[in-house]
Amino acid sequence: MPRAKTTLPRARPSAGGVSVYLLAFLAPHSPPPPGISRTQWAILLKWFSTTRFTAAWGDLASCPPSTPSSGAGFIFAGLGGNEIHPETLIKVASAISKMLAEWKINAVNVRVCGAKLNDAQTRTLAVALFTAAKSDPHQRGKPLPPIHWAIEGLDPNSEREARLVSAALIRSRKLANLSGNLAPPEFIANAAMKIARERHMNCEIWNPARLRKENCHALLAVAQGSANEPRLIILKHRVRPGGPKPLILVGKTITFDSGGLSLKPPKSMEWMKFDKCGGMAVLAAMEMIAALKIQRPVIGILAAAENMPGHRAMRPGDVIKSRSNKLIEVLNTDAEGRLVLADALSVACDFKPAAIVDFATLTGAAVAALGHVYSAVMGDDSVVASLKESGQRTGERVWPLPLHPDYAKAIRSPFADLKNTGDGAAGAIIGGIFLRAFVPRTIPWAHVDLTNAWEEKPSAFAAAGANLFGAQLALDWVRNFPK
Ligand code: BES
Ligand code: ZN
Ligand code: ZN
């Protein structure tokens, strides 16, 4: 993000806090934005010309208040035209939040000039501002005072919604950022239960005894090398009985992925506390759905386990019977996500849902294919298409990969119905092909292979750690699913 220099004649103190202007354009003779006098604007234009601020996307120009309490000060941020993408708003919001944190400011008025945001865009901006304001989970020292945002054009209802959405994001992100020792499956289950109670969702937690009773041997097999027990967490947002069929969100929740006996090399293990991010995105989405009282039943299922190489660990070559009765030959214990999801999808199908989407940090191959810009999506065309649209609206972008039946040859096994790895080619697709074996073709389904679930270092736009990619995608998808 190129930044303009940030020196400016002192702004005059004004009562309503720092003024933030998001400018679509800066024409040589543009009239002053509302709230700025002609004289002030003339000074500002002169100042802009001495800096590199042209209102291009990413441009920032700011003038800190003379004292934190005076509340004066300006921030100008460029939007780069009036075609505004969600990620532009998200990035601008985080940049502004960082600046305000530096200045220790807690009241801001945000105005958009030269463009008219639609309701969804205004809400995106609000969510991004609310979330970013409390964004740095690794922040040391005193917590910042809450920031009072006023966003022009944001109606009270949207504001309430933005607050609820960002509260859910902040809460699940805290959980997602916890390390493997601090947040084993049981801990995640308790946290989910707490959220469910608060938001009036029904929450069922299956412990190992229940999992055995339910024949979830694939989930149990993944957990058996760990001292930490697995849990299957089922959250239900119910509306009235007799309504439409539920939508189901399933999340891979591996609290730490060592690879098991097919042990990962140390470098590849460093980030594997984030292998629960699919589940954490689903948890956040469920909290949002319940808090916003979405008028449609939605079920969230988190398959939580730790993948460790303990003395009881599953071995390469082991044949396990999944809940759906399909036998799986485990050739690589590091392909554990598809095993826990196989059982979770089988549970999901029992609810006779209208559609299922699963979210998982399933393969490194998806990252190799798409980088961190798009996550991969695969499955039934209708679900893939609706997710792609939600991705465009929310900025949580997904791109389709094909699930042609010919790929299924790669996971044929001489000892079981299928094996859990292919020959190394088309790794992300093979993950999808494997999962599809656990969903009858009568149930619309898609799988999202997350490539961008966490940030490895802080940037101008985001703190390091989980970003809950998928949560807003899931919310948007649920909201727009045909009744
Ligand atoms: N959790 C990993 C996938 C992963 C790695 C996601 C890095 C994001 C970043 C998953 O369980 C895994 O290890 N997958 C294997 C599959 C392979 C053994 C077929 C992989 O991608 O190498
Ligand atoms: Zn793995
Ligand atoms: Zn994994």
Side-chain angles (χ1 to χ4, degrees):
M1 183 183 244
R3 277 174 192 241
K5 267 189 258 143
T6 54
T7 45
L8 182 82
R10 293 252 85 99
R12 258 186 294 126
S14 71
V18 165
S19 300
V20 177
Y21 295 94
L22 308 187
L23 302 185
F25 304 100
L26 188 66
H29 303 291
S30 6
I36 296 185
S37 71
R38 286 196 171 277
T39 349
Q40 276 174 316
W41 188 233
I43 299 170
L44 284 163
L45 282 174
K46 217 173 264 163
W47 175 58
F48 289 151
S49 67
T50 68
T51 70
R52 280 170 297 154
F53 186 89
T54 61
W57 146 234
D59 275 4
L60 283 175
S62 61
C63 165
S66 36
T67 61
S69 57
S70 79
F74 293 116
I75 297 175
F76 292 90
L79 295 172
N82 57 8
E83 212 185 280
I84 298 162
H85 297 284
E87 53 267 46
T88 306
L89 296 171
I90 294 166
K91 291 187 168 181
V92 162
S94 347
I96 290 171
S97 284
K98 291 218 157 173
M99 206 170 272
L100 294 171
E102 263 167 46
W103 296 351
K104 300 190 170 53
I105 291 293
N106 67 351
V108 225
N109 288 302
V110 183
R111 283 201 187 92
V112 180
C113 309
K116 175 97 185 77
L117 299 190
N118 63 33
D119 288 352
Q121 289 171 324
T122 316
R123 271 201 304 269
T124 302
L125 177 64
V127 169
L129 285 171
F130 292 140
T131 313
K134 297 189 206 164
S135 101
D136 200 343
H138 311 291
Q139 206 171 265
R140 303 273 180 265
K142 272 195 287 180
L144 295 164
I147 297 184
H148 304 289
W149 297 99
I151 300 167
E152 193 181 57
L154 185 69
D155 60 280
N157 218 9
S158 300
E159 169 159 356
R160 189 185 142 268
E161 177 175 326
R163 282 185 197 284
L164 290 171
V165 166
S166 72
L169 289 170
I170 289 164
R171 172 138 74 166
S172 285
R173 185 176 54 195
K174 264 193 196 148
L175 210 52
N177 281 333
L178 290 176
S179 55
N181 60 327
L182 298 178
E186 190 189 0
F187 183 92
I188 301 283
N190 291 338
M193 178 69 93
K194 192 166 168 266
I195 292 174
R197 286 218 179 102
E198 222 174 272
R199 298 295 184 195
H200 310 288
M201 282 186 278
N202 173 294
C203 178
E204 232 181 72
I205 291 170
W206 294 3
N207 63 12
R210 178 75 191 268
L211 288 166
R212 273 189 291 275
K213 230 165 118 189
E214 296 278 350
N215 293 317
C216 293
H217 300 298
L219 174 56
L220 285 162
V222 170
Q224 77 196 24
S226 166
N228 293 311
E229 293 179 347
R231 292 287 186 275
L232 190 89
I233 304 160
I234 306 174
L235 298 146
K236 289 184 198 154
H237 165 65
R238 279 198 286 211
V239 208
R240 62 203 143 64
K245 291 176 171 180
L247 294 173
I248 304 199
L249 307 171
V250 176
K252 168 177 172 180
T253 313
I254 297 295
T255 57
F256 181 72
D257 183 10
S258 72
L261 282 178
S262 313
L263 198 65
K264 286 181 184 295
K267 272 280 158 212
S268 319
M269 235 187 267
E270 283 178 5
W271 300 95
M272 283 300 121
K273 68 171 180 178
F274 291 118
D275 210 18
K276 58 182 177 308
C277 281
M280 296 304 93
V282 169
L283 182 59
M286 289 306 296
E287 179 176 351
M288 294 172 195
I289 287 163
L292 298 176
K293 303 192 166 56
I294 300 292
Q295 283 305 301
R296 130 152 254 150
V298 185
I299 301 174
I301 303 180
L302 275 55
E306 186 182 40
N307 188 21
M308 294 287 274
H311 65 288
R312 293 210 174 90
M314 57 180 175
R315 296 148 280 253
D318 276 4
V319 172
I320 55 180
K321 192 181 217 170
S322 65
R323 186 172 187 272
S324 71
N325 274 329
K326 284 206 164 123
L327 292 178
I328 305 169
E329 184 188 12
V330 179
L331 283 185
N332 190 321
T333 64
D334 196 13
E336 83 297 339
R338 59 199 75 184
L339 300 176
V340 303
L341 289 176
D343 281 350
L345 287 170
S346 143
V347 173
C349 292
D350 283 1
F351 290 106
K352 304 202 181 342
I356 306 175
V357 179
D358 74 71
F359 295 86
T361 45
L362 205 74
T363 67
V367 184
L370 296 170
H372 303 294
V373 180
Y374 280 83
S375 280
V377 62
M378 55 211 97
D380 292 307
D381 289 346
S382 62
V383 190
V384 167
S386 54
L387 282 167
K388 212 174 151 212
E389 280 170 22
S390 294
Q392 263 144 16
R393 282 192 291 267
T394 58
E396 296 187 343
R397 289 165 299 206
V398 292
W399 199 259
L401 295 178
L403 289 188
H404 192 279
D406 281 359
Y407 287 110
K409 288 180 196 149
I411 52 170
R412 282 189 197 151
S413 158
F415 306 108
D417 293 306
L418 72 179
K419 52 182 185 165
N420 77 334
T421 54
D423 54 12
I429 293 175
I430 294 300
I433 287 278
F434 180 95
L435 295 177
R436 188 172 62 173
F438 299 90
V439 184
R441 303 311 302 272
T442 51
I443 300 178
W445 156 84
H447 153 63
V448 178
D449 194 337
L450 300 170
T451 61
N452 184 23
W454 69 87
E455 318 290 332
E456 301 197 353
K457 45 185 188 309
S459 69
F461 313 127
N467 57 29
L468 291 209
F469 183 108
Q472 299 195 75
L473 179 67
L475 172 65
D476 186 273
W477 178 76
V478 164
R479 278 193 145 154
N480 291 288
F481 196 87
K483 278 262 150 56

